[in-house]
Amino acid sequence: MRFNHERSGDTLVVSASGRVDGSNASDFLDSLQGLFDPGDQRIILDLGGLEYISSAGLRVLLMAAQNLDKQQKSFSICSLTEAVGDVFRISGFDQIINVFPSVEDAKQG
């Protein structure tokens, strides 16, 4: 699991690549939350480089989304690969978390 991030104004874009499963899900959550700044109002998670996500990874995303919602911050996900997109659709996560085709779409959404 690798992260890159960029901040523009009150928007944080985090790009994740690799795999998220039971062996690294808690590290994924810690790393993700460690990037959040109090001034961030919109967090976009770009998963275009993610090869695989397990139910443990989905749980992390749900926890992050709920935490950010409590803080009245926007959270969205974009650029899902076909395999990760299938997991989102089958699990119904695409109905729980805003999913966009690209970072630019997420910024406008």
Side-chain angles (χ1 to χ4, degrees), residues 37-100:
D37 184 88
D40 296 330
Q41 294 302 308
R42 179 185 303 197
I43 293 87
I44 300 169
L45 184 56
D46 179 350
L47 298 182
L50 199 66
E51 302 161 9
Y52 173 81
I53 190 165
S54 71
S55 60
L58 291 176
R59 188 170 50 252
V60 164
L61 295 179
L62 181 59
M63 290 168 47
Q66 290 172 335
N67 181 30
L68 291 168
D69 187 55
K70 287 178 187 174
Q71 298 176 47
Q72 299 180 353
K73 297 179 185 248
S74 169
F75 179 65
S76 56
I77 294 174
C78 67
S79 307
L80 300 178
T81 61
E82 185 176 345
V84 173
D86 287 345
V87 171
F88 267 70
R89 282 184 291 283
I90 290 167
S91 66
F93 263 68
D94 61 336
Q95 302 299 310
I96 298 170
I97 298 173
N98 291 324
V99 178
F100 294 92

Side-chain angles (χ1 to χ4, degrees), residues 25-41:
S26 64
D27 292 337
F28 177 53
L29 179 62
D30 292 343
S31 296
L32 187 60
Q33 289 183 329
L35 295 173
F36 299 161
D37 184 88
D40 296 330
Q41 294 302 308

